Amino acid sequence: MSISSEHKPLGKQVTGSLHTLSPIVELNVGGEMYTTTLSTLKKHPGSKLAEMFTGQPKLRTDSEGRFFIDRPGTYFKYILEYLRSNQVPTQCVQDVYKEALFYDIEPLIKQLEDSPQIFGELVARRQFLARVPNYSENIELMIRIARAEAVASRQSSVIVCVVRTEEDAARCRDALNSLDMDKKSVVKFGPWKAVPSISDLLDCIQMDVEAKGYKISFQPHVAEKGFRFKSHDFFYKFLFTWW
């Protein structure tokens, strides 16, 4: 079977063996069109991409007979460039990394993981956040509280308590007891055993909430008079802006 410009029904399953294909292959990757060779696609035999074009066909074709891959087409050009010339992309690294994982191209995955962007995320930031108890759950809790308070409002706020040490955690509990507010609405982060500071954690919280599409900012929370401690030692107000 060879790829031609003849119109075929949308989503038609390819029949026959890929060994009979033309060495030139046309692809439709998420709506982006590419032309390459079978040898390029099969350069790394253990990859998922190579398996797509080995043995019995595992892909459908579009109405023009191009093999269709339901992935973001924008980043496939970087995958192809690596397969063609071993060139590791320096643009859109995070997105290309996701595609390299999907196509299971092990050499590219390893080289991308050595890049500053991926290394910093996987080895530095994620390893730090893994030492902050219930970090991901607390991010989701913040969002739920903010959404619950957003009715007929342009902004809603969430009070966050951040403690780095067990000693601070005890002081924070005492401070919470003197707060004239619903303690269940205060989201507590920490303590943790790692080098990054409270400021670093606050930046991570903002980064991860914004990554979910929310617009937020934060500032020290100054409690009303009568508070036993300096509230800005522990408490911060995260402001969600909805419109």
Side-chain angles (χ1 to χ4, degrees):
M1 170 184 172
S2 62
I3 293 180
S4 69
S5 60
E6 293 180 3
H7 289 267
K8 299 181 180 181
L10 183 63
K12 181 178 179 181
Q13 183 71 46
V14 181
T15 59
S17 172
L18 283 166
H19 293 298
T20 62
L21 279 177
S22 164
I24 307 301
V25 179
E26 294 184 359
L27 301 171
N28 176 346
V29 185
E32 298 283 339
M33 311 307 167
Y34 294 94
T35 302
T36 186
T37 66
L38 271 178
S39 59
T40 296
L41 296 171
K42 297 165 65 174
K43 184 174 182 179
H44 297 284
S47 70
K48 182 177 179 179
L49 185 62
E51 290 178 358
M52 290 178 181
F53 295 91
T54 301
Q56 289 299 113
K58 302 171 181 66
L59 295 172
R60 293 183 177 273
T61 59
D62 66 11
S63 60
E64 298 293 330
R66 294 173 291 234
F67 287 103
F68 179 72
I69 302 176
D70 194 12
R71 295 293 296 179
T74 304
Y75 310 115
F76 191 72
K77 64 182 178 182
Y78 299 109
I79 300 293
L80 269 186
E81 189 60 33
Y82 175 76
L83 295 175
R84 289 165 173 162
S85 61
N86 291 321
Q87 181 175 329
V88 179
T90 57
Q91 299 177 338
C92 308
V93 173
Q94 296 278 0
D95 294 303
V96 177
Y97 179 66
K98 293 177 184 177
E99 297 310 296
L101 288 173
F102 173 78
Y103 293 115
D104 196 20
I105 304 173
E106 193 64 32
L108 177 56
I109 292 171
K110 290 181 178 179
Q111 291 184 68
L112 287 173
E113 287 179 347
D114 284 336
S115 69
Q117 300 95 318
I118 303 298
F119 179 86
E121 175 67 18
L122 294 180
V123 177
R125 199 176 84 92
R126 288 193 189 178
Q127 288 299 314
F128 158 54
L129 295 178
R131 302 183 184 189
V132 180
N134 304 313
Y135 176 80
S136 297
E137 293 84 349
N138 285 338
I139 292 291
E140 295 300 327
L141 178 57
M142 284 180 63
I143 293 172
R144 288 199 300 273
I145 293 172
R147 291 175 69 94
E149 296 182 359
V151 179
S153 301
R154 183 173 186 180
Q155 295 178 319
S156 57
S157 62
V158 178
I159 304 301
V160 168
C161 174
V162 183
V163 292
R164 186 175 177 183
T165 67
E166 293 289 351
E167 180 183 13
D168 285 345
R171 293 176 64 199
C172 179
R173 285 192 293 271
D174 290 339
L176 274 172
N177 290 332
S178 65
L179 269 178
D180 184 20
M181 64 181 299
D182 182 4
K183 299 176 182 60
K184 292 182 180 179
S185 67
V186 178
V187 182
K188 178 176 168 292
F189 287 85
W192 64 87
K193 294 181 180 180
V195 173
S197 65
I198 286 177
S199 176
D200 294 326
L201 181 64
L202 291 169
D203 287 341
C204 286
I205 294 171
Q206 181 174 16
M207 183 187 309
D208 289 330
V209 174
E210 288 181 338
K212 295 179 180 293
Y214 296 92
K215 182 179 180 181
I216 65 166
S217 60
F218 68 87
Q219 62 187 31
H221 176 59
V222 180
E224 297 178 356
K225 60 182 179 179
F227 196 74
R228 296 182 191 175
F229 303 96
K230 293 179 181 179
S231 58
H232 56 74
D233 286 346
F234 305 114
F235 296 96
Y236 297 84
K237 178 185 289 186
F238 277 79
L239 197 64
F240 287 68
T241 300
W242 302 104
W243 50 274

